[in-house]
Amino acid sequence: MAAAPVWSVDPRTGKQREQVAAEATAEEVGRAVGAAHAARGALADRAVRSAFLRTAAAGLEAAKDGLVETADAETALGPVRLTGELARTAYQLRAFADIVDEGAFLDVIVNHPDDTATPPIPDLRRYKVPLGVVAVYSASNFPFAFSVAGGDTASALAAGCPVVVKAHPDHPALSELVAEVLRRAAAEHDIPEDVVGLVHGFEAGVELIKHPLVAAAGFTGSVRGGRALFDAAAARPVPIPFHGELGSLNPVLVTEAAAAERADEIGAGLAGSMTMGVGQFCVKPGLVLVPSGAAGDGLVKALTDAVGDTEAGVLLDHRMRDDFVAGVRERAGLEGVESPVMPGAGGEHTVSAGFLTVPAQRLAQEGAYDLLLEECFGPVTVVVRYDDEAEAASVLSRLPGNLTATVQLSSAEAAGDGRGAEILAELTPLAGRVLVNGWPTGVAVAPAQHHGGPYPATTSTSTSVGGTAIERWLRPVVYQNAPQALLPVELQDDNPLGLPRRFNGLLER
């Protein structure tokens, strides 16, 4: 039986553009993983590794025009957005190259023997080593930054782990082009091209997570798909770490004082954030707590005006469009839910932005209204009108884990006059990133960044953005009483590589 073809599809028309590849068989997945595993030794040299990452970044930039054109044809995200995303991806590759050169990620700790301690301490030398082949599952909504050359791949390669990427069906042609850029960059540094593998197809993704030579996995996508892979990773004869980003509501709490002080500003900012990228950002604010009364009414009016001026847009594929239209229709049909600007179908291939409102008491107990506490992918948010602080807190207590949680405070509250600090403490258990007087869309690539959160936002406590994302693909190992001549160079007393380390309890600088 011939393998099913993989087609590149234009979401603006729903028409097939070209056949890109064929879905990988189990045998082909096995060959890709085996080849990646065999190539892992070529990533052992940190200097070679960092040079490879920098060459990959330069390669993406050199191929920018063709890559952006293909990405736009497959995703309809637009050249401006995609050009910025490609630049972000190149920056991220270089940032991980810098991390590799610095070496602090190895977390070197050396203890010399101490017979006076209780109990006595032997000679102990600890650092971190790469796990092995990492399976990377590309995201639909970020065809550069969370896909073939995205954060999972960049951080895994930086850790010294080869990758096999399962391409997303929404941008298969782009996936092939980007993989080729990475492979050419590898070849320039005498690294086998198989250090970056690429497979297509749903069954290929299932086979990938089951392969015994796959040591860890990174995923960005839906709760349903991610949970299935997470369970499969745990059910293996040898379970493996699965770092999945599955879904997030990204709640926003607007205080009454903030609404009274700047209703127009908050309403316009919310409209821009929830419709950015046609509402297809993983950190889109999907539930917003707004006070009842005149101040909140002013905010809702500003939101109505701003969202009403938003043009219809194209989602990443027609399945997502159909799910969005059905999802908002089901939510809008609940008793007590109103639609100041009704979201839904904007045309045969487009969707229109909108938002729903509901009294907070409707969410006070489990039932049909739980649907409003689930992410709806696309340009829609739910505005929950609350009467007092206790009612707002009751809604927050029912929320699942999130990537972000945001509070909009008045200037006095932000200065410490009021419950600002208490609200931050209430939001902290809900999310991995807590924002004050901002909007969650936009995830900076920075050393202190954390892009993760309690389940179902992510399946681990790690981040997929920022320097510490590299930690997902490493494990610690300790050598006890090993002679200097046998130790890895990173653990030798004279520190010939000049690595940051903790030596006999003191942090060397």
Side-chain angles (χ1 to χ4, degrees):
M1 182 177 177
V6 174
W7 290 92
S8 173
V9 176
D10 182 348
R12 293 182 175 96
T13 64
K15 295 181 179 179
Q16 294 175 340
R17 298 177 59 248
E18 60 177 327
Q19 181 178 344
V20 173
E23 294 186 358
T25 64
E27 291 76 15
E28 289 168 334
V29 171
R31 285 198 292 271
V33 174
H37 180 75
R40 68 194 188 284
L43 294 174
D45 188 313
R46 285 192 301 119
V48 172
R49 213 152 76 213
S50 63
F52 164 37
L53 293 172
R54 291 191 176 93
T55 299
L60 290 176
E61 291 168 337
K64 177 184 67 176
D65 292 346
L67 294 177
V68 168
E69 181 181 3
T70 300
D72 183 49
E74 291 190 311
T75 68
L77 289 173
V80 173
R81 147 73 193 275
L82 291 166
T83 298
E85 188 185 330
L86 186 148
R88 178 190 192 277
T89 304
Y91 176 85
Q92 186 166 244
L93 287 163
R94 292 191 176 100
F96 277 113
D98 291 342
I99 289 169
V100 172
D101 285 339
E102 181 196 50
F105 74 97
L106 294 170
D107 197 18
V108 177
I109 305 174
V110 175
N111 280 118
H112 279 166
D114 184 355
D115 293 335
T116 67
T118 305
I121 298 173
D123 187 278
L124 299 171
R125 295 159 190 267
R126 177 188 189 274
Y127 79 147
K128 292 180 178 177
V129 297
L131 289 175
V133 178
V134 172
V136 173
Y137 292 81
S138 292
S140 61
N141 55 341
F142 284 89
F144 291 116
F146 284 83
S147 293
V148 175
D152 287 349
T153 293
S155 58
L157 293 172
C161 296
V163 299
V164 176
V165 182
K166 191 272 182 187
H168 197 280
D170 280 351
H171 39 83
L174 178 68
S175 297
E176 288 285 348
L177 293 175
V178 172
E180 186 55 34
V181 169
L182 297 183
R183 289 168 179 154
R184 285 199 303 268
E188 286 190 34
H189 298 281
D190 295 323
I191 298 172
E193 295 183 5
D194 292 326
V195 77
V196 177
L198 182 70
V199 296
H200 297 267
F202 176 84
E203 291 300 327
V206 175
E207 293 295 332
L208 187 58
I209 200 69
K210 292 161 49 179
H211 197 285
L213 292 180
V214 167
F219 171 91
T220 303
S222 68
V223 173
R224 180 180 178 184
R227 184 54 194 256
L229 291 171
F230 177 50
D231 290 347
R236 291 167 37 128
V238 178
I240 59 172
F242 183 88
H243 304 284
E245 179 190 324
L246 310 189
S248 183
L249 201 58
N250 305 301
V252 178
L253 172 63
V254 182
T255 69
E256 185 169 6
E261 181 179 274
R262 48 194 181 89
D264 290 349
E265 175 190 332
I266 295 173
L270 172 57
S273 185
M274 60 160 280
T275 61
M276 184 179 293
V278 201
Q280 297 174 112
F281 278 43
C282 51
V283 287
K284 179 202 74 176
L287 184 138
V288 186
L289 289 152
V290 173
S292 303
D297 291 345
L299 191 158
V300 171
K301 181 182 183 305
L303 179 62
T304 300
D305 293 342
V307 174
D309 290 338
T310 303
E311 294 183 359
V314 178
L315 295 186
L316 292 160
D317 62 42
H318 279 61
R319 177 188 58 80
M320 291 182 187
R321 177 189 175 279
D322 293 344
D323 287 347
F324 173 76
V325 172
V328 296
R329 183 187 299 120
E330 185 177 5
R331 288 163 171 81
L334 295 171
E335 184 178 354
V337 173
E338 297 181 355
S339 310
V341 181
M342 182 62 191
E348 184 181 358
H349 306 292
T350 61
V351 296
S352 58
F355 69 98
L356 310 175
T357 64
V358 63
Q361 58 263 32
R362 296 280 184 177
L363 302 179
Q365 56 189 6
E366 295 183 7
Y369 291 88
D370 288 356
L371 181 63
L372 299 177
L373 304 181
E374 298 177 9
E375 179 183 15
C376 186
F377 193 72
V380 63
T381 195
V382 176
V383 174
V384 181
R385 304 299 300 271
Y386 67 91
D387 291 332
D388 52 38
E389 293 173 356
E391 201 168 61
S394 177
V395 173
L396 290 174
S397 71
R398 298 203 57 228
L399 298 186
N402 294 272
L403 294 169
T404 71
T406 301
V407 60
Q408 297 289 340
L409 301 172
S410 69
S411 55
E413 290 170 326
D417 183 9
R419 292 186 60 250
E422 294 177 33
I423 294 172
L424 285 185
E426 292 173 4
L427 295 180
T428 296
L430 294 179
R433 180 163 57 107
V434 180
L435 297 88
V436 178
N437 290 353
W439 298 104
T441 38
V443 184
V445 178
Q449 185 60 272
H450 186 84
H451 189 61
Y455 186 86
T458 51
T459 60
S460 73
T461 59
S462 300
T463 178
S464 61
V465 180
T468 54
I470 195 173
E471 296 173 0
R472 298 174 295 169
W473 321 121
L474 300 161
R475 69 174 181 88
V477 62
V478 174
Y479 294 92
Q480 181 171 326
N481 294 336
Q484 286 282 313
L486 304 184
L487 284 169
V489 66
E490 292 88 352
L491 298 179
Q492 294 173 8
D493 274 346
D494 56 358
N495 195 14
L497 300 179
L499 293 170
R501 64 178 185 171
R502 188 171 291 277
F503 193 80
N504 287 332
L506 299 177
L507 184 63
E508 293 186 340
R509 299 182 184 277

